[in-house]
Amino acid sequence: MVKICCIGAGYVGGPTMAVIAFKCPSVEVAVVDISVPRITAWNSDKLPIYEPGLDEVVKKCRGKNLFFSNEIEKHVAAADIVFVSVNTPTKTSGLGAGKAADLTYWESAARMIADVSKSSKIVVEKSTVPVKTAEAIEKILTHNSKGIEFHVLSNPEFLAEGTAITDLFNPDRVLIGGREENAGGLKAIQTLKDIYVQWVPQERIICTNLWSAELSKLAANAFLAQRISSVNSISALCEATGANVTQVSSAVGKDLRIGSKFLNASVGFGGSCFQKDILNLVYICECNGLPEVANYWKQVIKINDYQKNRFVNRLVSSMFNTISGKKIGILGFSFKKDTGDTRETPAIDVCKGLLNDKAQLVIYDPQVPEAQIFKDLSTPKFDWDQLGSTIQITEDAVAQSVKVVHNAYEATKDAHAICILTEWDEFKSLDYQKIYNNMPKPAYMFDGRNVVDVAKLRQIGFIVYSIGKPLDPWLKDMPAIA
Ligand SMILES: NC(=O)c1ccc[n+]([C@@H]2O[C@H](COP(=O)([O-])OP(=O)(O)OC[C@H]3O[C@@H](n4cnc5c(N)ncnc54)[C@H](O)[C@@H]3O)[C@@H](O)[C@H]2O)c1
Ligand SMILES: O=c1ccn([C@@H]2O[C@H](COP(=O)(O)OP(=O)(O)O[C@H]3O[C@H](CO)[C@@H](O)[C@H](O)[C@H]3O)[C@@H](O)[C@H]2O)c(=O)[nH]1
């Protein structure tokens, strides 16, 4: 029986390994983590992450060929294949702070693998890492290896949160990078391919050299984020001219060379990956003496910051330039629907911007716990962080000006304005007449995700702002200073 161990039981390690166990009954999978609460949650009825379809997959395999454990060394020692899926956040201090990936967790995992291994292993980079990381990992492993053979593969993960299980069941591609130039490397690539081939069609499994696999992951995220910043930049121009961004992106996306996906204008992209990975790409370009290329990709993040800023400014300027003491109902806090993850969610910057203008916020999100929202809003950002960045709200100010509630009607009652910051499906079908009746007038709706029916809400009486859509006459006269 092939034994797999995955170091890191997070958003990637947990679902990915659950799906491998589910699809490959003859493989034994152990997912290990340093965090005791995380492992306890994986072994309980309330999994540590919300992901549609995940519960069923975990319940089918847990205790049979899928195990979650804090006994890291034991499971690593026993494994034939070790996946490393630890976090690789942006460095916050030292060389490359604010851009480079922090590989502390990765390096400590690699050193531990070298220390505890008594048999040869394939070590798989699942985390997103800078191109050439495999070279450093090989050095760490072989330097301490006591004659054991290690083969390093790069197998980046392309799942998106909220659709992780369907993405893993039916991936566009699986990418395996390895040392194609030697027999051991080729054998390692084949061993990993033999796992995926149990449910992924052969032609979707792409084998490359190590550096292509590592770089493809960063490049894919940069291209995806670039599409959002591109459409968001056009949304500003739509508002200035009377064009409608939904019509423009639909017309543009009909060109098969461009494609229709990932062209939804929004208040900005969030999540733990896009900003981090582009910053990482920027840093790699700078280190390779390519400042023009670095600046090109930096612009994708700048437009994202501009978009969040623009949203806050539009709201404040439309409400007579003051929101001091005004209640604002916030619908949605996670970085996208169907996840409770708030890492880099645009809601943090938008809410901080509103708090900076002394608004009173009442927040509702179907999945994000109250404590997480308070933590996110009072955690200082780093100096290097872009935009809203400089805005720091103290814990006391957050406690005084923010309330978290358990449904959308409570959040919007007596509110001067509503902001939709996540596209949760339930926000499409709320009783907006009832909501309107419970708000002081004029009642504003600022839809940062283009989820509401603008015409219908205007008919009810709302003043509606929807990203990139023709402006409400009320808003037209308001300056939209960025
Ligand atoms: N979240 C996503 O959608 C996504 C998708 C594709 C790729 N990625 C990449 O995958 C990697 C993991 O991301 P994530 O979102 O799962 O992160 P995460 O923070 O949810 O999980 C990482 C886990 O690793 C554990 N860990 C850290 N150091 C450890 C060590 N030495 N030993 C054991 N456990 C350790 C942490 O306790 C944590 O539970 C990152 O590189 C990320 O860029 C993420
Ligand atoms: O047309 C769009 C599509 C997305 N978004 C926003 O972009 C962010 C990221 O969304 P998405 O890419 O769906 O989620 P992630 O889980 O961050 O997944 C991305 O990042 C992962 C981590 O590297 C990759 O594995 C995935 O392929 C890549 O899509 C979210 O805030 C979305 O609301 C938009 O604003 N407009």
Side-chain angles (χ1 to χ4, degrees):
M1 195 178 216
V2 175
K3 284 193 172 180
I4 289 180
C5 174
C6 175
I7 305 176
Y11 284 86
V12 169
T16 324
M17 292 303 125
V19 168
I20 290 182
F22 182 77
K23 295 287 186 182
C24 311
S26 65
V27 173
E28 190 179 293
V29 184
V31 193
V32 297
D33 203 291
I34 37 175
S35 162
V36 173
R38 222 167 205 191
I39 291 298
T40 307
W42 278 112
N43 283 320
S44 76
D45 283 339
K46 176 101 179 75
L47 301 184
I49 60 176
Y50 171 69
E51 193 63 64
L54 178 64
D55 272 37
E56 290 85 328
V57 174
V58 169
K59 274 178 198 150
K60 283 221 168 85
C61 309
R62 198 171 53 191
K64 292 181 190 138
N65 66 333
L66 175 66
F67 303 91
F68 295 93
S69 168
N70 290 117
E71 291 183 283
I72 302 178
E73 299 188 356
K74 180 183 114 182
H75 288 287
V76 168
D80 306 298
I81 306 175
V82 181
F83 284 82
V84 184
S85 186
V86 299
N87 35 334
T88 50
T90 306
K91 272 184 89 170
T92 56
S93 59
L95 188 65
K99 281 184 255 182
D102 184 347
L103 295 179
T104 313
Y105 304 107
W106 229 109
E107 186 177 338
S108 87
R111 287 186 189 280
M112 183 270 299
I113 297 169
D115 285 348
V116 306
S117 294
K118 295 192 177 65
S119 58
S120 294
K121 297 192 193 313
I122 295 172
V123 176
V124 185
E125 288 177 349
K126 199 48 151 166
S127 304
T128 305
V129 289
V131 56
K132 286 288 183 181
T133 298
E135 197 169 59
I137 300 304
E138 278 173 343
K139 280 186 188 142
I140 292 172
L141 291 170
T142 47
H143 186 70
N144 300 301
S145 76
K146 303 159 264 175
I148 297 164
E149 256 190 55
F150 289 105
H151 294 285
V152 179
L153 299 177
S154 165
N155 173 222
E157 184 49 59
F158 294 99
L159 69 80
E161 288 177 33
T163 53
I165 297 301
T166 46
D167 291 345
L168 288 164
F169 275 18
N170 189 21
D172 288 344
R173 78 307 212 178
V174 166
L175 186 52
I176 303 176
R179 291 275 182 198
E180 293 173 305
E181 65 277 19
N182 66 53
L186 283 172
K187 192 168 164 228
I189 292 172
Q190 188 58 44
T191 306
L192 187 56
K193 200 173 168 183
D194 288 344
I195 303 280
Y196 284 110
V197 88
Q198 296 185 47
W199 80 96
V200 179
Q202 288 263 13
E203 63 278 11
R204 290 203 211 157
I205 305 178
I206 306 168
C207 300
T208 66
N209 76 31
L210 276 168
W211 326 126
S212 303
E214 289 177 333
L215 185 55
S216 298
K217 174 65 198 177
L218 295 179
N221 274 355
F223 276 58
L224 287 169
Q226 182 205 43
R227 281 175 78 84
I228 305 168
S229 278
S230 297
V231 76
N232 283 346
S233 73
I234 296 296
S235 75
L237 189 55
C238 286
E239 288 167 29
T241 57
N244 178 328
V245 76
T246 308
Q247 294 175 345
V248 173
S249 66
S250 155
V252 170
K254 280 282 187 308
D255 186 326
L256 292 180
R257 294 168 302 175
I258 297 171
S260 61
K261 292 184 181 159
F262 243 68
L263 283 180
N264 294 321
S266 66
V267 62
F269 61 74
S272 60
C273 299
F274 283 171
Q275 173 162 307
K276 160 178 87 77
D277 294 347
I278 294 174
L279 288 169
N280 184 357
L281 188 67
V282 165
Y283 184 66
I284 295 167
C285 292
E286 286 171 354
C287 292
N288 281 281
L290 303 168
E292 290 82 0
V293 186
N295 281 332
Y296 175 77
W297 289 109
K298 222 185 263 175
Q299 202 58 29
V300 173
I301 295 175
K302 284 194 177 165
I303 288 287
N304 200 43
D305 293 338
Y306 163 77
Q307 191 74 347
K308 291 181 271 188
N309 240 340
R310 207 166 71 77
F311 186 83
V312 173
N313 291 344
R314 173 73 78 189
L315 183 147
V316 178
S317 62
S318 297
M319 295 177 75
F320 315 110
N321 255 334
T322 174
I323 52 170
S324 178
K326 288 180 185 166
K327 178 177 162 183
I328 302 192
I330 305 288
L331 300 186
F333 197 82
S334 59
F335 82 98
K336 63 185 282 196
K337 73 170 182 177
D338 290 338
T339 177
D341 195 351
T342 62
R343 290 177 290 180
E344 299 293 341
T345 176
I348 296 177
D349 286 329
V350 169
C351 288
K352 283 188 174 182
L354 300 177
L355 289 171
N356 196 43
D357 247 294
K358 306 213 168 5
Q360 292 288 321
L361 306 184
V362 184
I363 305 177
Y364 164 65
D365 186 284
Q367 283 296 333
V368 182
E370 177 171 344
Q372 186 65 46
I373 294 177
F374 278 105
K375 187 171 167 223
D376 287 337
L377 292 179
S378 48
T379 301
K381 283 204 160 196
F382 303 102
D383 292 343
W384 50 265
D385 215 340
Q386 328 291 312
L387 154 98
S389 55
T390 41
I391 301 175
Q392 308 289 7
I393 312 287
T394 63
E395 227 176 295
D396 276 357
V398 173
Q400 275 169 25
S401 309
V402 177
K403 197 173 157 200
V404 176
V405 295
H406 301 293
N407 71 65
Y409 297 102
E410 223 184 311
T412 53
K413 191 172 179 308
D414 299 324
H416 288 81
I418 301 170
C419 291
I420 299 184
L421 299 182
T422 313
E423 72 284 17
W424 286 101
D425 287 338
E426 64 177 75
F427 300 155
K428 286 187 192 145
S429 53
L430 293 171
D431 182 346
Y432 281 106
Q433 180 67 59
K434 177 174 158 188
I435 287 176
Y436 180 77
N437 294 345
N438 286 327
M439 291 171 72
K441 311 297 176 304
Y444 296 85
M445 162 62 80
F446 295 91
D447 182 359
R449 297 289 187 166
N450 286 346
V451 299
V452 301
D453 181 336
V454 175
K456 201 168 144 194
L457 262 69
R458 285 199 180 131
Q459 214 172 18
I460 292 174
F462 279 100
I463 293 164
V464 186
Y465 167 73
S466 199
I467 303 267
K469 298 290 176 70
L471 292 178
D472 198 301
W474 184 284
L475 299 169
K476 238 179 201 162
D477 297 328
M478 309 289 174
I481 324 130

